[in-house]
Amino acid sequence: ASNLISSARFRTTGGERPLEHHLATKKKQDSSAPIRILLVDDDVLLVSCQAAVLESYGHEVTAVSDSTHALALMRGNPSHFDIVITDLVMPVIDGIELSAAISSLRPDLPIIMLTATPPEHGLGYGIRKLLTKPAPSREVHRAILEFV
């Protein structure tokens, strides 16, 4: 079974800000370009539902249920994603370790952590925002637009 749950392209209705990164392309400066999200959660059903909702907002979502696969995707093409949304509690590589590894590859890449149990130490490791599960889809969408 593949760890890749969903990957689709949709157009946004605008309102996104350009990604400030030296690898940013002209595509991201066009407000009609979709925001490219790496979504990571070990709960296959949850990650699939979250991906569908985010896609309905016009985002391009790559949803994976395995944090090691997510890290491999980032290592393979660090500039591909505009933002990462990850769960905290996952087997093998938890959300903190994943965030730290991603941040070492792309320090400018915003990371949003969705979790039922916020970490004791709060933000750090590239994590820009903590959202408590279950977070309403509008709240997640607003958080994405806050950073991209």
Side-chain angles (χ1 to χ4, degrees):
S2 173
N3 290 324
L4 184 63
I5 305 299
S6 172
S7 183
R9 284 190 158 292
F10 292 85
R11 295 180 63 87
T12 64
T13 58
E16 66 186 53
R17 292 171 283 173
L19 177 64
E20 295 175 8
H21 182 262
H22 69 280
L23 295 176
T25 63
K26 285 181 87 172
K27 177 181 176 185
K28 288 313 304 164
Q29 294 173 0
D30 176 5
S31 66
S32 66
I35 295 173
R36 300 168 301 178
I37 301 168
L38 176 58
L39 178 63
V40 189
D41 197 309
D42 61 318
D43 183 326
V44 175
L45 181 59
L46 183 61
V47 79
S48 181
C49 291
Q50 286 175 334
V53 169
L54 292 172
E55 288 166 348
S56 76
Y57 281 105
H59 305 307
E60 178 184 324
V61 180
T62 302
V64 295
S65 61
D66 181 291
S67 53
T68 58
H69 182 66
L71 186 53
L73 288 172
M74 282 301 304
R75 286 183 174 146
N77 189 357
S79 64
H80 180 74
F81 298 103
D82 302 314
I83 194 163
V84 175
I85 301 172
T86 183
D87 186 19
L88 172 61
V89 179
M90 297 183 287
V92 186
I93 300 174
D94 69 20
I96 297 294
E97 293 171 292
L98 178 63
S99 296
I102 289 172
S103 187
S104 73
L105 295 168
R106 284 267 314 272
D108 66 310
L109 185 65
I111 300 170
I112 297 172
M113 183 164 288
L114 275 174
T115 182
T117 55
E120 294 174 10
H121 51 74
L123 299 178
Y125 305 98
I127 301 163
R128 306 255 179 100
K129 189 168 195 91
L130 290 172
L131 296 177
T132 304
K133 286 181 179 178
S137 60
R138 286 185 311 271
E139 184 179 349
V140 176
H141 180 66
R142 275 194 301 267
I144 292 165
L145 296 179
E146 204 177 308
F147 298 108
V148 180

